[in-house]
Each structure stands twice: as C-alpha cells, then as structure tokens.
Amino acid sequence: MSAFIQDVRYASRMLAKAPGFTAIAVLTLALGIGANTAIFSVLDAVVLRPLPFASPNRLVHLTGKFAMGDQAGISPPDYLDYRDANRTFEQMAVLNYEAQISNLSGLEKPEQIASSIASRNLFDALGIRPLLGRGFIPADEQTTQPQVAILGNGIWRTHFGADPHIVGKNVVLDDRSMRVVGVLSADPSMLSKAQIWMPLPLLNKGMSQRLAHFLVGVGKLKPGVTLEQAQADLDSDAKVIDANFPATNKGWGIKVRSLSSVLVGPVQTQLFLISGAVCLLLLIACANVANLLLSRGEVRQRELAVRQALGASRARIVQQMLTESAVLAFAGGLVGIAAAAWGVAALRAFAPADLPRLGEIGVNGTVLMFTA
C-alpha cells in the first residue's frame, strides 16, 4: 500500500508538470465516459429496471385481433365474456385504449386534463394501492354514467394541493359532478397518461355494443402460466363467443403480449444501438489517449533509463506507468460523471415525450457502478 501511495503521488506530480497533456487526456476520456454514463442511465431506467408494478413478469397486454391485424381494441361485452370464462388469469382488467381530454372545472380556472375509464380491478392487477380512500368496487360500475372518480397522485398534488381530506369531495369533469373516492399511491404513467380515473359504466347503452372496440386489456397471469398457455385459453374462449355471436364476433379474438415488450419494446432496440455507438466513442477516446501516452513515453526514455540505472526493476516501472494511467482514468471518470449529470438533464429536456419512464432517468448507484 505504501508503494501504491508513493506511485500515486509521483504520478500526480508528473501529470501536473504536463498540464497540456493531462488536460487533453482527461477531457478525451471524460467525453467517452460521460457519454456512456448518460446513455446507460437512460438504458437502466427504461429497459433494465423491471416495470414499476407488482409481479411485472406476470403482467400481459391484451388487444383485439381479427383478420386485418392484432392491435385492435376490445369491446366491453367481449371483455366481460372473456373475464368470466378465463382459467389462466388471476386478474383481467381493461381501460380506454387512449386517455381522452376532459375539462376539469370547479378550480380557480378550468383546465383540460387527461381522463380514462377503467374496470374496477385495474389497479389491483397492477398492484397499485390507494394512498387515500378506496379503489373501485362492483357497485361503481352499475351506472349509466360514472358517479365516482379516483385521482391520480400527480394531479392530486398539483391541482388539489395534496389535500388529505379530498376523499368525499366532488370534482366536475365535462360538466358532470363526481365524488372522489380515492387517490392513487402512484400513477401508472407507463400504461396511460390519465390523471383522473372513472369506472366503466356498464349500464350505459354504449357498453353493450360488441362492435365498439375501444378498450385495451391488462392481465395478470396465474403463477406458472406461460404466454402460450394464456393465448391458447383465450383462443378457446374466442371460439365459444364466435359461436354465440357470429354476426359481431366472427374471426375476432384477443392477442396476448408481455406488458414489458409492449411498453419498452418499441425503444429498446434504438437504445441498445445508441449504447453501442457511444461504446465505440469510448474506444476511440481510449485509443487516442493510448497514442498520447506512447508519445509521452518516447519523451520519458531518459527518465526511465535513470530509474533502471538506480535499480528499479521492469515490473516496478510497469507498475508506475499503470498507476499513472489509473490516475488519468480516475480523473477522466470524475469529469465524465459531471458531464453525464449535465447530459442526463439535457436528455430529459429534449427526449421525446413518449419515452417511457422519462422522469426516472438519473445518475444513481447502479449508473455509478457501471461508470466505475
């Protein structure tokens, strides 16, 4: 250890005597390290971390399929039939295919917010518990128009001042007054941009239309059930529904995909390609610094010869050179982390709004271990 400390001090003095070389080497390394750290922070947040739901490996995405494709919606009556007949799902839930824009009034000034309807068990399937109040119950669905609402955690904080007594009060959405029955502990923002949630009004005439394919499903598989088994189960149920309602359901079914592949899959390939590109940038930076060190080694031939003449072994000189490289790399890493923090802030500011988990991107312990 004493020899190592001596080498570090000597390396620091030698690098300080060549400020131009040191600055160029450190900045070159910092560019490569900082770029890799910034991109890995995105890769870690978006792709490598599990989905922010309970039992994410058992969650699946459900869409309608027919002769023209498998990205269609699901109609409310079909959903109820599949839910009642299923044998492989612990939970089957649905929500609007896309959140709709609604007018929220009753505040200081009206605002447009995103809202959605959902089956009573959606948040149970995702493992999201109410922070305040309760979730939806079967009675909430037995109406022609939604009578109650659940606030997302974000809008509860930004529009309602995190009011701990909000449960029981009314909100006015699209000129309809609804009683707040709960506040979510977390927003399922990866799944939907909705800020306020309402229950499916199953007694509404529109909810009985089998050709109204406007819902998308989320399922939670029973332990040990595979995607293939779930798909076979739904295909079997589709034949029964087809036979019972040939005029509306002929050729229709449900497609099962893992929820992770649907939410993260579209950007996963691009992120890995970008990560590969910045790795090449780091290799180029390392090659450039290696060339600088080789040139510097030529200049230091006399110094090394004197050290050998004084009794330094070849191994001892190699150790000293490696220590200088380690000091350069450490300095480049520190500057690179600072550059990465700035780069992450820029990425969050200019990244596409639909990039999943954008708000979770940051330099954390996992990212620092990768940098090291």
Side-chain angles (χ1 to χ4, degrees):
M1 182 57 68
S2 61
F4 172 73
I5 294 174
Q6 181 183 17
D7 286 346
V8 170
R9 289 174 177 171
Y10 182 78
S12 300
R13 289 197 302 269
M14 294 301 296
L15 293 174
K17 290 180 179 179
F21 161 80
T22 303
I24 292 174
V26 168
L27 290 176
T28 302
L29 288 173
L31 176 64
I33 293 171
N36 274 272
T37 301
I39 294 303
F40 180 79
S41 69
V42 179
L43 196 65
D44 173 59
V46 176
V47 177
L48 302 183
R49 289 185 209 165
L51 296 179
F53 306 125
S55 306
N57 294 332
R58 291 163 55 196
L59 293 177
V60 296
H61 192 259
L62 308 172
T63 53
K65 65 174 182 176
F66 65 122
M68 301 297 290
D70 57 13
Q71 296 281 357
I74 302 169
S75 71
D78 288 348
Y79 156 66
L80 295 175
D81 287 344
Y82 281 108
R83 185 193 67 183
D84 294 340
N86 105 83
R87 298 169 295 281
T88 50
F89 291 93
E90 195 172 282
Q91 297 274 4
M92 282 186 74
V94 289
L95 65 154
N96 265 5
Y97 208 101
E98 291 185 358
Q100 62 186 29
I101 301 300
S102 299
N103 294 314
L104 177 65
S105 54
L107 305 176
E108 291 183 4
K109 59 178 181 179
E111 284 196 41
Q112 288 190 326
I113 58 97
S115 67
S116 184
I117 59 174
S119 59
R120 65 177 185 265
N121 60 338
L122 174 65
F123 303 120
D124 290 335
L126 298 175
I128 299 177
R129 303 302 179 195
L131 179 66
L132 299 174
R134 62 169 176 83
F136 294 133
I137 58 177
D140 295 333
E141 295 181 325
Q142 301 304 311
T143 61
T144 56
Q145 293 292 339
Q147 305 294 319
V148 299
I150 291 178
L151 301 182
N153 191 275
I155 198 171
W156 172 62
R157 295 181 184 279
T158 58
H159 290 64
F160 297 92
D163 180 3
H165 306 294
I166 190 67
V167 174
K169 296 182 180 179
N170 286 3
V171 295
V172 180
L173 205 62
D174 293 331
D175 296 325
R176 286 187 289 109
S177 180
M178 285 173 283
R179 181 168 52 89
V180 176
V181 296
V183 175
L184 296 180
S185 57
D187 289 313
S189 53
M190 287 192 72
L191 185 64
S192 173
K193 302 301 180 185
Q195 298 165 280
I196 294 182
W197 296 85
M198 298 166 287
L200 282 174
L202 294 179
L203 301 185
N204 188 291
K205 290 184 179 180
M207 294 292 162
S208 63
Q209 303 300 315
R210 290 191 176 270
L211 293 177
H213 299 97
F214 64 94
L215 300 173
V216 65
V218 173
K220 184 176 184 180
L221 298 174
K222 292 180 179 179
V225 174
T226 64
L227 286 177
E228 291 74 18
Q229 290 171 324
Q231 186 65 70
D233 181 43
L234 291 174
D235 289 343
S236 175
D237 295 337
K239 293 178 181 178
V240 176
I241 298 172
D242 186 339
N244 292 334
F245 306 98
T248 56
N249 286 73
K250 186 172 181 58
W252 278 87
I254 287 184
K255 176 67 177 178
V256 183
R257 297 177 178 85
S258 73
L259 188 61
S260 176
S261 69
V262 172
L263 299 182
V264 177
V267 298
Q268 180 172 313
T269 301
Q270 292 92 321
L271 287 177
F272 276 117
L273 288 174
I274 295 173
S275 181
V278 294
C279 282
L280 290 177
L281 176 65
L282 178 59
L283 287 177
I284 293 171
C286 289
N288 288 334
V289 173
N291 284 330
L292 288 173
L293 288 170
L294 286 173
S295 299
R296 181 171 163 79
E298 290 294 325
V299 176
R300 297 177 64 184
Q301 288 287 349
R302 184 174 179 179
E303 171 206 338
L304 299 179
V306 170
R307 294 189 66 185
Q308 280 187 309
L310 292 174
S313 65
R314 183 181 297 271
R316 189 71 182 82
I317 292 175
V318 168
Q319 179 180 326
Q320 176 62 50
M321 297 296 102
L322 289 176
T323 302
E324 288 187 21
S325 294
V327 171
L328 274 178
F330 182 74
L334 289 179
V335 179
I337 289 171
W342 175 85
V344 166
L347 283 171
R348 292 176 63 175
F350 296 104
D354 59 350
L355 181 67
R357 311 178 86 167
L358 183 61
E360 299 179 34
I361 298 172
V363 179
N364 55 29
T366 303
V367 174
L368 291 179
M369 287 178 62
F370 171 82
T371 303

